[in-house]
Amino acid sequence: MQTPQFLLDLLQLLLDLAVPAAFCTLAAAGVSLRHEGGINFHVNGRAGKWILWTVVLLTLPQLLSWIAVQGINIPSASGSVGTSWLASMETVFKNFVNQIVVAKLVPILAAYFVLKATLDGAAGENPLGSIIAALFLMSLSATMQLFQGWNSGGQYAMTDMLASLWNYIAGQILPAAAGLACVGAVINFVRHRPWSRLVFAAISFLSVSGILSLFRAMAA
């Protein structure tokens, strides 16, 4: 039986809205960093879950192609939405994300977190969580381009993107975090505060890939 055109248009609508929805989930991940930020970041926290949903949305066509290979018949998208009111919904949602969320709302949220970091520092609290959230939001478009560049286009694009994300964290983020930990250790040493844990944290950040390789060798 031929698939109704309305269902094909609905499938195409969902595929077309995947990237704008990924912008929203990535922005939500940046906001969640404020609640999880500071000294501790929860791997299974809200920010990690929003980033996972971002990866799923960006690789949705490839994920559907993998499901089709497993024998589940999925109708192919029509290429464009033919139903007029569905096409209007697609245009409105894309414009809302591009013109309001990305262009207006995200910079305002970043400015708010900069102000929050200033107030946290003035109150004697740790401003690091607000600073990281502001930096993440201000680089939202660049981060999205980075994610899209990791899309291999194959059936395993989702896991490939997650692997690229891990390599980026291990190769770029963790060395920078180790440098910050060393700076913090020096500052704490001068101020006669506990500094040894920051040194051990810096060593762990720099050796996380080696520790992972060791665990893999032990499990083999």
Side-chain angles (χ1 to χ4, degrees):
M1 184 180 68
Q2 186 176 4
T3 305
Q5 184 62 36
F6 174 76
L7 295 180
L8 294 177
D9 290 340
L10 186 60
L11 175 60
Q12 185 63 46
L13 174 66
L14 296 177
L15 293 176
D16 291 343
L17 296 183
V19 174
F23 268 105
C24 296
T25 56
L26 196 60
V31 175
S32 298
L33 282 177
R34 173 60 186 86
H35 301 285
E36 302 172 8
I39 299 300
N40 296 319
F41 290 90
H42 305 292
V43 175
N44 61 338
R46 286 180 293 179
K49 293 176 182 178
W50 284 121
I51 290 177
L52 178 60
W53 273 113
T54 302
V55 172
V56 171
L57 289 171
L58 291 177
T59 58
L60 186 60
Q62 291 77 26
L63 184 60
L64 292 178
S65 66
W66 179 85
I67 294 176
V69 171
Q70 308 309 310
I72 301 177
N73 185 21
I74 297 178
S76 58
S78 57
S80 61
V81 179
T83 307
S84 59
W85 64 275
L86 287 178
S88 300
M89 290 177 57
E90 176 184 345
T91 302
V92 170
F93 185 77
K94 286 184 176 180
N95 291 338
F96 175 79
V97 172
N98 294 328
Q99 299 176 10
I100 296 181
V101 176
V102 177
K104 302 294 184 182
L105 183 59
V106 169
I108 293 174
L109 287 175
Y112 166 76
F113 285 128
V114 171
L115 175 61
K116 186 68 171 64
T118 304
L119 296 176
D120 290 340
E125 299 178 0
N126 187 1
L128 186 59
S130 298
I131 292 175
I132 293 178
L135 291 174
F136 188 91
L137 290 173
M138 286 188 290
S139 60
L140 187 69
S141 297
T143 304
M144 179 60 69
Q145 293 178 1
L146 187 65
F147 273 62
Q148 290 175 326
W150 290 334
N151 192 338
S152 61
Q155 298 176 7
Y156 302 98
M158 183 180 70
T159 54
D160 292 341
M161 186 177 293
L162 290 174
S164 298
L165 178 60
W166 161 252
N167 292 331
Y168 182 83
I169 292 175
Q172 302 292 333
I173 303 298
L174 291 183
L180 292 176
C182 291
V183 173
V186 172
I187 295 175
N188 281 5
F189 179 79
V190 173
R191 300 177 63 184
H192 303 287
R193 291 187 176 184
W195 54 271
S196 58
R197 63 179 182 179
L198 293 176
V199 174
F200 285 111
I203 296 174
S204 300
F205 289 154
L206 293 175
S207 58
V208 65
S209 297
I211 295 175
L212 179 61
S213 300
L214 177 63
F215 285 168
R216 287 177 176 174
M218 294 171 60

